[in-house]
Amino acid sequence: MSCFGGDPNFCPECGNILPLPGAQDCVVCRRCGFAIPVREFADQVIKSSVVFNPLEESTVAAESSEDSELKGPITDRRCSRCSKEGMVYHTRQMRSADEGQTVFFTCIHCRYQEKEDS
């Protein structure tokens, strides 16, 4: 009795993604070694699609720096200049890889910027 079931692209024993059938008689799970005969994959249709964004929506290069500084996740941090809540933040790796990232905050009200080293 299998622990997992339903989608034939996944191993019924461990749930790992199965490799594509090859020239062998069986498809063997790379994680647990469970083998499935290739004939069980007969008549299976695999479909894929690629969705492209319309040209007018992909204007990343045309954005001004003023607009881009206010894009991103908003946190409840209080601005030290205007004392209102709501700041957009982003992170950068400013120092070596074994040290923490620097977090940059921009107030959504007065656009004051501050940073915090973590």
Side-chain angles (χ1 to χ4, degrees):
M1 185 82 181
S2 297
C3 300
F4 299 90
D7 194 328
N9 296 315
F10 294 91
C11 176
E13 290 299 315
C14 69
N16 195 42
I17 297 175
L18 291 172
L20 292 173
Q24 299 83 9
D25 293 335
C26 291
V27 174
V28 180
C29 176
R30 292 184 179 139
R31 182 172 183 211
C32 70
F34 183 80
I36 300 173
V38 172
R39 67 179 171 273
E40 290 192 24
F41 293 94
D43 300 325
Q44 182 180 354
V45 178
I46 299 173
K47 295 181 182 181
S48 65
S49 63
V50 177
V51 179
F52 292 99
N53 294 330
L55 186 60
E56 58 272 359
E57 288 183 17
S58 60
T59 57
V60 175
E63 287 181 2
S64 67
S65 63
E66 290 181 15
D67 293 340
S68 65
E69 71 184 14
L70 293 178
K71 290 191 177 180
I74 298 176
T75 184
D76 292 335
R77 184 180 177 109
R78 188 173 301 278
C79 177
S80 59
R81 179 187 278 169
C82 70
S83 298
K84 293 182 180 176
E85 253 186 44
M87 296 187 88
V88 175
Y89 69 94
H90 67 277
T91 60
R92 300 279 170 152
Q93 187 69 42
M94 304 298 285
R95 298 170 285 168
S96 63
D98 63 340
E99 297 182 33
Q101 293 184 342
T102 302
V103 183
F104 294 91
F105 295 94
T106 304
C107 178
I108 60 175
H109 305 284
C110 70
R111 295 187 181 207
Y112 177 70
Q113 293 183 339
E114 51 190 56
K115 70 177 185 171
E116 179 180 282
D117 296 321
S118 45

